Amino acid sequence: MAPWQLPESFRSASGTVRWNRLGPADGRPVVLLHGTPFSSYVWRAVARSLARAYRVFVWDMPGYGRSEKFAGQDVSLAAQGRVLTELLDHWGLTDPLVVAHDFGGAVALRAHLLHGVPYRALALVDPVALAPWGSPFFRLVRDHAEVFEQLPPALHGALVREYVGSSGGPGLHPAVLDELVGPWLGESGQPAFYRQIAQADQRHTDEIQDRYPRIGVPTLICWGEEDAWIPVAKGRELAGLVPGARWEPIGGAGHLVQEDAPAELTAALLGFLREAA
């Protein structure tokens, strides 16, 4: 399989974004959003499958993956929602199909509910959407980010590797784990890892949580039943708040459903997107 590439760039208000477009030029547009501490790499299998019929847009959020990372960068949920709005305008997309995972779910919801960005349909995969959120480890790092930033590189790398691998499900292949951990290593990666956690503020979902009953587009909510980061009960709760939402639990999958059950997730998304489009 060809390496995952993001050859295009866009200068956003929060730094340069790396992105790519797959599939037929005349296909219905689908935009994929990754979560934290991940990148668009987690969507590679799903994106390539969707690209057989759709025009698929993938991107690394500022501060993540191959996109720009720098001191003082605003990588909050609020900032990412604005960047998504900028990107959709740059791509010339007026009502895309949107598929969002984890932190990306909150980004997509903020862009739609606060910035008025129209979607044709919205699929949420184990999204950060309902308070309280954040594992005990996540909250510990968030509250003491300046201390963790000083860890020796080897200890930092071991910590990130352990954290990324703790999302539940059958576990990640070592090569996949290497790809997910790599962007958080080195002179720019290590501080970026703690920066994004330090800026993860629950108020950014509190601001939109009471608006979920106003969502008027077709909505799919998928959830890995073995998610160790956000309990499946949160998914059922969210599905009950969004009018007409379709609920799709995926057995045997943890928080990274794209890695644990790509075929099952792709099938659920294709069925939903065909109806919505």
Side-chain angles (χ1 to χ4, degrees):
M1 185 176 291
W4 187 243
Q5 297 181 357
L6 299 175
E8 307 293 338
S9 62
F10 169 72
R11 184 67 185 174
S12 80
S14 290
T16 300
V17 170
R18 303 292 301 184
W19 65 276
N20 198 9
R21 179 176 52 232
L22 299 82
D26 60 348
R28 184 78 186 183
V30 176
V31 178
L32 303 181
L33 281 71
H34 67 80
T36 182
F38 312 116
S39 69
S40 62
Y41 177 79
V42 300
W43 283 118
R44 66 199 181 282
V46 175
R48 286 166 172 152
S49 295
L50 294 179
R52 294 175 178 268
Y54 296 92
R55 183 164 40 119
V56 181
F57 293 81
V58 292
W59 59 296
D60 285 354
M61 296 183 195
Y64 291 79
R66 299 177 188 178
S67 289
E68 189 176 13
K69 306 176 184 71
F70 56 86
Q73 187 176 22
D74 187 353
V75 295
S76 66
L77 279 167
Q80 304 291 3
R82 292 189 293 267
V83 171
L84 174 59
T85 304
E86 294 176 43
L87 262 179
L88 294 178
D89 182 65
H90 175 68
W91 291 332
L93 305 183
T94 55
D95 65 338
L97 301 158
V98 174
V99 181
H101 175 244
D102 180 75
F103 180 96
V107 172
L109 288 164
R110 285 183 65 88
H112 184 60
L113 295 171
L114 295 183
H115 304 303
V117 176
Y119 302 149
R120 178 66 188 87
L122 175 63
L124 299 170
V125 183
D126 297 60
V128 171
L130 296 174
W133 49 266
S135 67
F137 167 79
F138 191 93
R139 292 193 293 270
L140 175 67
V141 173
R142 182 184 59 201
D143 294 342
H144 304 283
E146 71 285 350
V147 175
F148 281 90
E149 285 179 17
Q150 300 175 48
L151 284 175
L155 287 179
H156 163 74
L159 181 151
V160 176
R161 193 174 185 87
E162 180 64 26
Y163 176 52
V164 171
S166 70
S167 60
L172 298 171
H173 187 282
V176 171
L177 188 55
D178 287 344
E179 288 284 349
L180 296 177
V181 170
W184 301 121
L185 305 180
E187 187 175 344
S188 64
Q190 180 165 341
F193 177 77
Y194 299 110
R195 185 181 306 119
Q196 52 92 18
I197 293 180
Q199 294 183 29
D201 194 326
Q202 188 175 291
R203 68 185 172 88
H204 291 134
T205 53
D206 291 344
E207 290 173 354
I208 56 173
Q209 189 166 324
D210 64 353
R211 303 186 187 209
Y212 297 158
R214 305 182 199 175
I215 295 174
V217 299
T219 303
L220 170 69
I221 299 173
C222 294
W223 217 280
E225 290 188 324
E226 296 181 16
D227 190 330
W229 289 1
I230 312 178
V232 69
K234 285 289 184 185
R236 295 192 188 96
E237 182 183 353
L238 179 61
L241 293 173
V242 179
R246 180 187 299 183
W247 169 241
E248 286 275 358
I250 298 182
H255 188 68
L256 269 176
V257 186
Q258 306 97 315
E259 298 293 344
D260 297 341
E264 292 88 340
L265 177 59
T266 300
L269 291 174
L270 281 171
F272 172 70
L273 294 175
R274 286 190 188 112
E275 292 180 13

